[in-house]
Amino acid sequence: MDSIFDLLGNISWWMWLLIFVVLVVIYDVFINKKHIILHNFPLVGHFRYMLESIGPELRQYIVAGNREELPFNRIERGWVYASSKNVNNYEGFGTDQDINEVNYIFINNAVIPYYMPHKHVNREDPYFVACAKVMGEFHKRRRPFRPASVINVSAMSFGSLSAKAIESLNLGCKKAYAYHNTGEGGLSPYHKKGADIVFQVGTGYFGIRNEDGGFSIEKLVKLVKEYPSIRAIEIKLSQGAKPGKGGVLPASKITKEISEIRHVPMGKDVLSPPAHSTFSNMQELVDWIEEIAEETGLPVGIKAAIGKLDEWRELASIMAETNRGPDFISIDGGEGGTGAAPPSFADHVALPWIYGFTDVYKIFQARDLANHIVFIGSGKLGFPAKAAMAFAMGVDCINVAREAMLSVGCIQAQSCHTNTCPTGVATQNRWLQAGINVKDKSERVNYYFNNFRKELLEITHACGYEHPCQFTMDDVEINLGDRFIAKTLAETFMYNKTKVPFDSVATLAGCPNLGGSYRKGKETDVKEVETEDTSVADQ
């Protein structure tokens, strides 16, 4: 035995390397039965798979240009990162956008911008932009709700996002007076840090389900009573990433904590069915909405990605005839979102936001219902110029998901569905989560929201308005091919939005149903950026 060890000890490092190479080649040629490349090109073929595995990173940081990446290019991500760090988010030397590309938008500024009086709310707080409408006001809900921010966190569940990511978002929303949508995964301890909550009810009824997996109104009522921070209920009919398809939370991502929050067993994949079991048609949906609103006293809305329109016409007819139905409607874009989905769904099922929203808005407008509903847009709208376009089309609030994740530290690794998110944002891996500093990341969410609202307000004033709700379809042009066929939104989509009742920003600030802890005269916690002395070079 000693002689064997002596022999092995006398083998030099390069001989060990040669032995390893020979063994790999033998394995690739004679044992491997799965990979043609490895069989035909032993050893060398492994480099092909290594390069393929880091291809996204190579393209993201080395190969792709500033405007080439999807879903968010480097310029867009850089703006979110800079805004969330509260550093210089400007760009110099003019735009590098292709202004002749199809669907490029142009915002028509006024000759004389809006002048803010000296005691205007936005002079004291340049970040205050509340929703111009009140959820539940028309249907006289017992606890109506005016969102204190026009930008809020869209539905992302604890389970799909990590505990620290959810906690960072919630604390950031609290500081920015925004609401935080729970997603269908239930109300976790990390949603209870003080922000307004929109509780989402999905097809799995997680957190409010009976033993058989069905919906429990008793559990929902109990939850609302225990946590008054819940300000509205959202029924998820479908989502942009996979409309009409159920979801799966793999057993590997289900911790004991998630099991208790969702009221589901451990060790099994958790399924969200494609459809609700509590209703099967629009009339039953309306009845269910009214039951939830009556029992909880809260505004109740629906969320959906848009495809066929017949059922939306039926819903509008029921609402017009009965004065019953949802208090708000969240329109999700078919472009997808944080939820993982088969490419066939993510790429082709449901309309992009801009088409889906206009189709639905026109249906309700035709029934004179536009001002009975708070319209919420969700689909890559977390940038001020796109938000201005959305408000011109009839949106009252914007929900952001991926943009909010970027503010927390997401790098668009696109591994949300693998439990290997390198930034710890979309994983239950404790080691990967450990890098998230909740205090720091919550400040970044706060800064992103406030800088977004400030810039949106500056665009609004440049167009001669006091509040974004005053944008009209004629204030934005969209490029349909070149400058000679660029048309206003009104000409393109063939409608003008219904004028939103609006008195003044001061009226919004003094509203008794205003969300968050916002009070008139209390400045938002954010420092003004010194543009000349800061840089985004460390992004």
Side-chain angles (χ1 to χ4, degrees):
M1 181 65 70
D2 291 340
S3 61
I4 294 175
F5 283 120
D6 290 338
L7 177 63
L8 294 176
N10 291 327
I11 298 176
S12 61
W13 67 268
W14 63 267
M15 292 184 67
W16 280 115
L17 180 61
L18 182 61
I19 291 170
F20 174 76
V21 169
V22 170
L23 290 175
V24 171
V25 170
I26 291 172
Y27 179 86
D28 288 343
V29 174
F30 297 104
I31 300 176
N32 163 56
K33 302 296 182 183
K34 294 182 178 180
H35 301 289
I36 296 174
I37 294 294
L38 295 181
H39 178 274
N40 293 349
F41 303 94
L43 188 65
V44 176
H46 287 278
F47 290 99
R48 184 262 183 195
Y49 290 107
M50 289 171 59
L51 290 172
E52 182 184 43
S53 68
I54 62 172
E57 288 80 5
L58 289 173
R59 291 189 293 274
Q60 184 177 35
Y61 295 107
I62 300 174
V63 179
N66 286 342
R67 298 285 185 181
E68 292 178 351
E69 295 174 87
L70 292 173
F72 297 97
N73 63 50
R74 191 174 298 148
I75 295 296
E76 290 172 328
R77 296 200 314 275
W79 183 85
V80 175
Y81 293 147
S83 298
S84 62
K85 292 178 181 179
N86 202 36
V87 297
N88 183 1
N89 60 8
Y90 285 26
E91 62 181 44
F93 212 65
T95 182
D96 62 357
Q97 285 266 41
D98 178 8
I99 63 173
N100 295 312
E101 68 178 352
V102 176
N103 288 340
Y104 191 86
I105 62 172
F106 305 91
I107 299 171
N108 296 323
N109 59 295
V111 176
I112 302 176
Y114 172 77
Y115 175 78
M116 275 195 297
H118 290 295
K119 293 187 178 181
H120 194 279
V121 172
N122 289 131
R123 283 195 181 273
E124 299 176 357
D125 183 357
Y127 311 99
F128 176 68
V129 191
C131 181
K133 293 180 185 173
V134 179
M135 294 180 179
E137 183 176 53
F138 178 78
H139 293 124
K140 296 181 173 57
R141 309 304 186 197
R142 294 195 300 277
R143 288 183 60 199
F145 172 48
R146 184 193 298 276
S149 171
V150 293
I151 178 172
N152 304 279
V153 171
S154 190
M156 295 183 286
S157 303
F158 170 56
S160 59
L161 295 196
S162 67
K164 287 191 173 183
I166 293 290
E167 185 175 358
S168 299
L169 290 170
N170 194 265
L171 284 169
C173 285
K174 178 184 178 182
K175 294 173 183 177
Y177 311 114
Y179 67 68
H180 187 182
N181 191 308
T182 62
E184 66 174 317
L187 187 70
S188 73
Y190 313 104
H191 288 105
K192 302 173 184 176
K193 302 301 178 179
D196 285 334
I197 290 293
V198 172
F199 184 84
Q200 189 181 80
V201 179
T203 56
Y205 308 120
F206 299 125
I208 50 170
R209 56 194 266 153
N210 295 317
E211 294 299 321
D212 63 358
F215 171 71
S216 169
I217 186 66
E218 292 79 16
K219 288 185 177 180
L220 178 59
V221 171
K222 183 173 181 289
L223 192 69
V224 169
K225 286 182 178 178
E226 288 178 353
Y227 300 103
S229 59
I230 299 176
R231 300 299 305 270
I233 309 292
E234 180 181 81
I235 298 169
K236 188 184 85 168
L237 304 179
S238 60
Q239 67 186 78
K242 47 191 172 185
K245 186 183 187 325
V248 179
L249 184 65
S252 61
K253 291 187 75 172
I254 302 175
T255 63
K256 185 174 186 296
E257 186 177 35
I258 292 174
S259 171
E260 292 173 353
I261 292 167
R262 294 199 176 200
H263 302 170
V264 296
M266 291 186 64
K268 293 182 180 180
D269 292 346
V270 176
L271 304 178
S272 298
H276 282 267
S277 60
T278 52
F279 62 90
S280 58
N281 56 55
M282 281 297 164
Q283 183 59 63
E284 291 177 359
L285 170 61
V286 170
D287 293 341
W288 191 41
I289 288 171
E290 291 299 324
E291 178 190 4
I292 292 174
E294 177 60 31
E295 294 293 328
T296 64
L298 298 180
V300 180
I302 56 178
K303 172 186 177 177
I306 308 303
K308 295 181 178 180
L309 299 176
D310 289 345
E311 289 167 307
W312 290 101
R313 295 188 184 98
E314 182 184 355
L315 175 60
S317 296
I318 293 171
M319 292 180 67
E321 293 167 5
T322 66
N323 284 334
R324 303 166 77 240
D327 299 293
F328 62 93
I329 298 177
S330 299
I331 303 297
D332 210 4
E335 298 92 335
T338 54
S344 55
F345 272 82
D347 296 343
H348 300 289
V349 181
L351 293 171
W353 182 84
I354 194 170
Y355 305 129
F357 180 82
T358 54
D359 284 349
V360 170
Y361 186 89
K362 286 191 286 187
I363 288 172
F364 288 91
Q365 185 186 52
R367 289 284 189 166
D368 199 25
L369 297 169
N371 280 331
H372 299 180
I373 301 165
V374 174
F375 287 98
I376 301 171
S378 178
K380 296 177 69 174
L381 299 175
F383 304 92
K386 290 185 178 179
M389 175 197 71
F391 275 93
M393 296 167 69
V395 156
D396 300 297
C397 275
I398 286 167
N399 282 355
V400 294
R402 290 172 290 181
E403 298 93 321
M405 289 170 65
L406 290 172
S407 73
V408 172
C410 167
I411 60 170
Q412 195 171 274
Q414 296 179 286
S415 57
C416 308
H417 58 300
T418 64
N419 205 31
T420 60
C421 170
T423 61
V425 174
T427 177
Q428 298 308 307
N429 183 301
R430 291 188 179 275
W431 171 258
L432 295 173
Q433 288 185 52
I436 298 178
N437 182 318
V438 172
K439 181 179 179 181
D440 175 66
K441 299 306 182 184
S442 65
E443 285 292 346
R444 293 194 180 193
V445 175
N446 174 38
Y447 286 147
Y448 164 59
F449 277 9
N450 282 305
N451 284 315
F452 172 97
R453 291 191 301 242
K454 179 175 180 286
E455 195 166 318
L456 173 61
L457 204 56
E458 288 172 344
I459 294 174
T460 303
H461 293 170
C463 294
Y465 301 124
E466 184 183 8
H467 189 278
C469 75
Q470 295 173 287
F471 277 112
T472 74
M473 297 284 278
D474 292 320
D475 291 318
V476 180
E477 294 186 30
I478 187 167
N479 199 350
L480 303 179
D482 61 48
R483 181 62 184 89
F484 296 103
I485 55 173
K487 296 182 178 180
T488 65
L489 294 176
E491 294 172 312
T492 303
F493 297 106
M494 296 181 290
Y495 77 96
N496 283 288
K497 82 167 193 181
T498 301
K499 185 178 180 180
V500 176
F502 171 73
D503 177 40
S504 68
V505 170
T507 301
L508 305 185
C511 176
N513 301 311
L514 187 65
S517 57
Y518 189 89
R519 291 295 178 267
K520 182 180 176 181
K522 179 180 179 181
E523 292 189 5
T524 305
D525 181 22
V526 66
K527 298 181 295 182
E528 190 73 18
V529 176
E530 293 294 338
T531 308
E532 295 81 3
D533 299 327
T534 54
S535 170
V536 292
D538 61 339
Q539 294 309 312

